[in-house]
Amino acid sequence: SVQLAGTTGASLVRCRLQALPYEVLVVNCHLDWGELGCQQGLQLKDIIDEECRERSLAVVWCGDFNACPDSPLMEALRTAGYHDAFEFRADWFSYCGPNSDLGRLDYMLYRGHIEIARHIVKPNGYLGKTPSGDAVCLNQTSLLGKFSDLTELLARVGSDHAPLQAAFEAPIVRVSTV
């Protein structure tokens, strides 16, 4: 765990998968809103960069960034080579505020030797099929999935943020000896 500016912290875990010649750094955070959150995110980016400096690490960084896709923090992370499992789309909402205001504050970022497995990205009802088996329209404009508003989201999930899920694929790198 890492303490960031203010009262915010983050967790970092290095994972080694037997089939891969590198580790994956998994990071989870909940950043503050506004300028302080931006500072916290940039501080955490520097910590991640330091972790990656001495070894070949893929990174999966997820959490409530409390930042819109066009914010300075998200711009800095895109510039640093991060991709978003949900394509930094502002119109794919992950949060429903007290007045049913929708927004995008939650991300599943990644970089390095991994790629998103597109067929598994979702909250329930986001891509693929709904629990009842109905096909989901690919131009759906919310990561809230089947939840229509804050009241339903709170009642069914217990949070004002939609649960996000993605799977990642990693290429198997074969080393040949002569």
Side-chain angles (χ1 to χ4, degrees), residues 128-175:
K129 301 212 177 276
T130 64
S132 63
D134 299 325
V136 175
C137 179
L138 293 178
N139 66 0
Q140 183 176 346
T141 59
S142 175
L143 295 179
L144 296 176
K146 62 185 175 184
F147 309 112
S148 59
D149 60 24
L150 178 61
T151 305
E152 184 181 9
L153 188 62
L154 286 170
R156 306 263 316 268
V157 177
S159 175
D160 54 355
H161 295 261
L164 304 179
Q165 174 183 328
F168 295 90
E169 300 174 325
I172 303 297
V173 178
R174 301 195 189 279
V175 178

Side-chain angles (χ1 to χ4, degrees), residues 13-87:
V13 177
R14 272 196 313 268
C15 304
R16 166 69 95 187
L17 303 175
Q18 285 184 330
L20 301 178
Y22 52 86
E23 295 175 312
V24 177
L25 181 65
V26 179
V27 182
N28 183 274
C29 69
H30 185 176
L31 305 178
D32 287 324
W33 180 260
E35 182 59 34
L36 180 56
C38 183
Q39 291 171 4
Q40 293 165 342
L42 294 174
Q43 179 186 3
L44 187 51
K45 182 189 95 45
D46 291 344
I47 292 168
I48 293 167
D49 289 346
E50 187 62 34
E51 282 286 317
C52 295
R53 196 171 322 280
E54 296 181 16
R55 53 180 74 81
S56 179
L57 293 175
V59 178
V60 175
W61 182 5
C62 54
D64 178 355
F65 287 74
N66 268 317
C68 299
D70 62 352
S71 70
L73 174 58
M74 290 297 120
E75 287 293 329
L77 295 178
R78 270 194 296 276
T79 300
Y82 283 93
H83 305 279
D84 176 29
F86 302 96
E87 303 172 1

